[in-house]
């Protein structure tokens, strides 16, 4: 009789023990290694980051915006650690020297071929249950931005080049391209 193989449960300590330069995320105690982003991915992150940061500054907003790698500890346990491409955090008490303790208000992930399953399924569930207010998945390959507004329990899709309304800011929209 074969014994069932017990799957190892990892913690945040295991993430911090990774060799320098190796990046991974931790979801429910399972490690997911991250491939280096490509140039198109990084250009999109930069454009969105500056657009959002400038909007917050122009409007004297309290929220802060961070690009990856930026540690987000989604909940109280030590089995979930993510590095969203962009995190917008409006509660400064969540921000520490190590990252963000708790759910950011708004998260944007840029899909790459290796992150598709993670961004559309695993992270969607984690972000929703952790209390993220709004989650965007920008998919350069498909030219689509999927917006999950968890406060309104809605999902909308927009094509690149279209103005995408930002749920956490009334009257603000971004053209993703």
């Amino acid at each position: 009789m074969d014994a069932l193989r017990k799957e190892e449960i990892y913690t945040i300590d295991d993430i911090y023990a990774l060799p320098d330069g190796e990046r991974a995320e931790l979801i429910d105690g399972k490690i997911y290694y991250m491939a280096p982003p490509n140039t198109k991915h990084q250009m999109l992150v930069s454009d969105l980051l500056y657009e959002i940061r400038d909007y917050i500054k122009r409007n004297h907003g309290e929220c802060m915006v961070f690009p990856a790698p930026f540690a987000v500890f989604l909940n109280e346990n030590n089995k979930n650690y993510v590095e969203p491409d962009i995190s917008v955090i409006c509660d400064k008490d969540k921000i520490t020297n190590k990252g963000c303790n708790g759910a950011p208000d708004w998260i944007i992930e840029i899909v790459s071929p290796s992150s598709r399953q993670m961004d559309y399924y695993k992270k969607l569930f984690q972000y929703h249950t952790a209390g993220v207010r709004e989650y965007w998945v920008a998919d350069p390959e498909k030219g689509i931005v999927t917006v999950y507004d968890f406060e309104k329990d809605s999902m909308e899709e927009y094509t690149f080049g279209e103005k995408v309304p930002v749920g956490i800011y009334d009257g603000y929209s971004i053209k993703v391209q």
Side-chain angles (χ1 to χ4, degrees):
M1 182 171 161
D2 289 345
L4 289 176
R5 190 172 70 89
K6 188 177 180 210
E7 193 170 308
E8 190 159 351
I9 302 295
Y10 295 94
T11 68
I12 290 168
D13 291 337
D14 296 306
I15 293 291
Y16 282 116
L18 291 173
D20 281 351
E22 190 157 1
R23 289 182 51 216
E25 294 179 306
L26 183 69
I27 294 185
D28 294 331
K30 186 171 180 185
I31 290 180
Y32 296 89
Y33 293 93
M34 299 164 61
N38 64 29
T39 302
K40 190 179 205 176
H41 177 282
Q42 291 302 88
M43 286 173 57
L44 198 48
V45 168
S46 294
D47 289 349
L48 288 167
L49 179 76
Y50 292 127
E51 167 78 32
I52 295 164
R53 193 202 69 210
D54 289 349
Y55 174 82
I56 292 169
K57 278 186 168 189
R58 275 194 320 272
N59 290 280
H60 311 289
E62 293 295 313
C63 302
M64 298 178 76
V65 59
F66 298 93
F70 179 73
V72 173
F73 307 94
L74 282 174
N75 43 39
E76 295 296 315
N77 71 37
N78 66 348
K79 294 177 182 55
N80 288 288
Y81 166 98
V82 292
E83 293 182 0
D85 289 318
I86 297 176
S87 301
V88 178
I89 302 150
C90 300
D91 179 354
K92 288 192 171 111
D93 291 339
K94 290 182 178 182
I95 300 169
T96 70
N97 208 28
K98 285 191 166 192
C100 177
N101 288 322
D105 293 84
W106 178 20
I107 288 177
I108 301 174
E109 294 283 9
I110 312 302
V111 175
S112 57
S114 64
S115 73
R116 188 168 296 286
Q117 285 287 109
M118 190 75 153
D119 294 337
Y120 279 109
Y121 301 103
K122 283 184 177 32
K123 286 185 177 179
L124 172 66
F125 176 77
Q126 290 296 323
Y127 294 161
H128 185 250
T129 56
V132 171
R133 294 167 58 196
E134 184 168 355
Y135 175 42
W136 289 20
V137 180
D139 192 331
E141 198 174 285
K142 293 182 177 179
I144 291 174
V145 179
T146 307
V147 175
Y148 299 93
D149 185 332
F150 296 132
E151 291 183 315
K152 294 180 181 160
D153 201 23
S154 70
M155 187 271 287
E156 299 285 333
E157 286 189 343
Y158 300 87
T159 56
F160 275 34
E162 241 185 311
K163 284 190 169 207
V164 182
V166 178
I168 69 166
Y169 294 117
D170 284 339
Y172 177 47
S173 60
I174 297 175
K175 198 182 282 190
V176 179
Q177 47 196 6

